[in-house]
Amino acid sequence: MASKSKKTDPLASLDRSALPRHVAVIMDGNGRWAKSKGWRRVRGHEEGAESVRVIVRSCRKLGIDALTLYAFSEENWARPKAEVEALMRLLGRFLKKERQEMLDQGIRLNAIGSIERLPKSTRKLLDQTMADTSQGKDMVLTLALSYGGRQELTQAARRLAADAAAGKLDPESIGEDALAARLYTAGLPEVDLMIRTSGELRVSNFLLWQIAYAEFYFTDTFFPDFREAELARAFQAYADRERRFGQTGDQLGVSG
Ligand code: IPE
Ligand code: IPE
Ligand code: MG
């Protein structure tokens, strides 16, 4: 158990060799966090953006290779227009504010999803920030924006079919790698740990293919309250798991 009394740095006691390489987070509960305080939902998104900053820094500090954040789903377009606009504004503000930090920290920004659906100004800023940070070698921060797992798999299928129809690909030769190479996440390591905040026990169309063997960590904490101490708890839980990948504990020499 990670000691809660370590007020200074809750991440310091983690065993670095037992950390995930790729962490994905479903950042949920912003609205309920705000409502519980009698505030408007947008306030929750603003505070959630602060959690994003904290988590990005912490993961970078711990040497995590890849962090993927579910920031806006394909389904989230159905929210009230004012909330969608506020989220897009916040994204723009985040990109402007964090650009220098990403450059300083060697973080490469990446985006997955139907990026073409984002407002033009947001898309421009996103493209610019991705280009500016493209040399970052120490961590890749992927924002899932207008993202849907089924949509991603469907477009990969469409690309496979197009390549086959063009004679570039023999249908018989299509294996897992061929499909994975056509996903938005091509080139990223496997997701090791999937975190969801706010007590919801569902995947909500996030990284359906990529979580095949991920460890899941659910917490009741709303995302605006998910900071270093909560992240340390999630990583400790991950470190305590036994990942068997179909084998027995005996085969792996980890249990009796
Ligand atoms: C997550 O918080 C942020 C986004 C989905 C953009 P929510 O806005 O879903 O907050 P709740 O779930 O309504 O509390
Ligand atoms: C999932 O949260 C999407 C993001 C975190 C961006 P939602 O709040 O939209 O998920 P559901 O609708 O409750 O499943
Ligand atoms: Mg939600």
Side-chain angles (χ1 to χ4, degrees), residues 10 22 36 46 50 78 112 114 125 138 158 163 171 189 220 230:
H22 186 175
S36 73
E46 287 166 3
E50 195 51 38
I112 57 174
S114 306
L125 192 56
D138 297 313
R158 210 179 298 124
D163 286 348
D220 288 339
E230 287 285 334

Side-chain angles (χ1 to χ4, degrees), residues 18-221:
L19 291 174
R21 264 190 85 192
H22 186 175
V23 181
V25 187
I26 302 176
M27 311 185 288
D28 200 11
N30 292 350
R32 278 165 287 161
W33 178 88
K35 278 202 150 174
S36 73
K37 297 180 182 309
W39 298 332
R40 52 197 222 294
R41 291 177 55 87
V42 177
R43 180 79 186 272
H45 296 314
E46 287 166 3
E47 206 52 35
E50 195 51 38
S51 291
V52 170
R53 274 164 65 91
V54 171
I55 290 167
V56 169
R57 275 161 208 250
S58 300
C59 285
R60 170 66 189 86
K61 206 158 84 183
L62 289 168
I64 303 293
D65 290 331
L67 173 64
T68 300
L69 303 175
Y70 204 4
F72 193 85
S73 72
E74 189 82 339
E75 290 77 17
N76 288 149
W77 288 114
R79 291 194 178 193
K81 193 166 168 269
E83 181 165 341
V84 171
E85 283 172 0
L87 283 165
M88 293 302 149
R89 261 199 313 277
L90 257 175
L91 171 63
R93 209 185 299 163
F94 175 84
L95 293 171
K96 279 188 203 155
K97 216 166 129 189
E98 295 307 305
R99 181 184 167 278
Q100 193 56 49
E101 176 79 11
M102 288 190 268
L103 287 170
D104 293 345
Q105 297 285 328
I107 296 171
R108 175 167 67 85
L109 182 72
N110 179 35
I112 57 174
S114 306
I115 303 303
E116 69 283 354
R117 289 192 69 183
L118 300 180
K120 203 171 161 210
S121 57
T122 315
R123 222 167 52 221
K124 251 182 93 179
L125 192 56
L126 187 64
D127 285 343
Q128 188 58 52
T129 316
M130 288 195 290
D132 292 348
T133 61
S134 63
Q135 297 306 308
K137 300 271 186 286
D138 297 313
M139 185 172 93
V140 51
L141 168 63
T142 301
L143 299 181
L145 296 165
S146 190
Y147 175 88
R150 286 188 169 180
Q151 154 231 109
E152 177 182 38
L153 285 162
T154 306
Q155 68 84 35
R158 210 179 298 124
R159 288 168 69 186
L160 283 173
D163 286 348
K168 287 191 267 181
L169 192 67
D170 170 10
E172 286 304 316
S173 75
I174 297 173
E176 292 184 9
D177 290 351
L179 196 139
R182 287 163 178 83
L183 296 175
Y184 299 134
T185 51
L188 290 176
E190 289 287 314
V191 174
D192 298 306
L193 173 64
M194 164 83 91
I195 297 171
R196 183 168 190 149
T197 59
S198 88
E200 305 299 352
L201 306 180
R202 55 178 173 260
V203 168
S204 301
N205 206 12
F206 193 37
L207 303 177
L208 298 180
W209 169 278
Q210 297 86 343
I211 56 174
Y213 252 106
E215 296 293 328
F216 284 74
Y217 181 84
F218 294 105
T219 171
D220 288 339
T221 302

Side-chain angles (χ1 to χ4, degrees), residues 1-2 13-15 19 231-241:
M1 269 278 178
S13 57
L14 292 168
D15 173 1
L19 291 174
L231 186 69
R233 225 164 284 153
F235 285 171
Q236 189 55 52
Y238 175 84
D240 293 341
R241 302 271 176 93

